[in-house]
Amino acid sequence: MGYIFGFNALHQGENIQDVIWIGIVSNGLASIILFAYGIIGIWSNWSDFAKIYMWGSAIVTALITLGLSIAGW
């Protein structure tokens, strides 16, 4: 919902700094959790496809966080 409100606010020319913070926090925490689970071996018994998917998700959420952090300032 935060992203939807932000999208609407952007098109109305309003400040969307709060929405950027929502994205940084939500994607940043997701990335931390995914990396932590991968590092401690939660996915060790999963298929190769599943492991690649999860590591990819960790990387993508980290990149989204980085992008929002850079673009949001």
Side-chain angles (χ1 to χ4, degrees):
M1 287 304 300
Y3 295 132
I4 292 171
F5 288 128
F7 184 76
N8 290 333
L10 180 64
H11 286 301
Q12 294 174 2
E14 297 175 12
N15 186 336
I16 60 166
Q17 191 67 37
D18 292 341
V19 179
I20 292 170
W21 277 110
I22 291 170
I24 291 170
V25 171
S26 67
N27 286 288
L29 289 175
S31 182
I32 290 168
I33 291 168
L34 289 167
F35 275 112
Y37 278 15
I39 289 168
I40 65 174
I42 296 292
W43 313 323
S44 61
N45 293 329
W46 293 18
S47 71
D48 288 340
F49 175 78
K51 287 187 262 188
I52 291 168
Y53 185 87
M54 296 305 287
W55 281 112
S57 296
I59 292 167
V60 167
T61 54
L63 290 173
I64 291 170
T65 303
L66 180 62
L68 287 169
S69 297
I70 292 169
W73 300 114

